[in-house]
Amino acid sequence: MLSHGLRRSLTVVTAVVLVIVYIPLALVLLNSFNTDNTFGWPPPGLTLHWWKVAWESQGARDALWTSVRVALAATVVALLLGTLAAMALR
C-alpha cells in the first residue's frame, strides 16, 4: 500500500507531465486554425484554410493512411498477444 505522501507526490508528478505534454499539443491545434502564416498570440482570426490545404496534400493523406494501417496492425498484434498471455495466465 502506498503512503499518503507518496500517492500525493505521484499525483503531482503525473499532473505536471500531462500538462507538459498536452499544453504544447493544444497550442499546435489552436495554431492550426490561425489565419496568419506565423504563430502569434492571440490569433488574429480563425480559419479552416490550413486544414483544407493539408487535406488536399497527397503526402499528408498518404501519411495519415500509413498511420491508420500501422495502428490497425499494432492493435491486431496487441489483441493476439494479450489474449495468448491471458490464456497462459489462466
Side-chain angles (χ1 to χ4, degrees):
M1 193 88 187
L2 294 176
S3 70
H4 183 67
L6 181 58
R7 182 178 297 271
R8 178 169 284 171
S9 297
L10 287 173
T11 301
V12 169
V13 168
T14 301
V16 168
V17 168
L18 289 174
V19 165
I20 289 171
V21 169
Y22 285 111
I23 292 296
L25 287 173
L27 288 175
V28 168
L29 180 65
L30 177 63
N31 195 43
S32 73
F33 295 103
N34 194 348
T35 56
D36 199 3
N37 288 342
T38 60
F39 182 75
W41 192 258
L46 300 176
T47 182
L48 291 173
H49 170 72
W50 303 116
W51 285 89
K52 180 180 177 227
V53 169
W55 183 253
E56 291 172 351
S57 167
Q58 185 63 42
R61 284 197 312 267
D62 289 344
L64 179 63
W65 178 240
T66 299
S67 295
V68 169
R69 287 193 329 230
V70 168
L72 289 173
T75 300
V76 168
V77 169
L79 283 171
L80 186 66
L81 292 177
T83 301
L84 292 173
M87 292 169 80
L89 290 173
R90 189 178 144 239

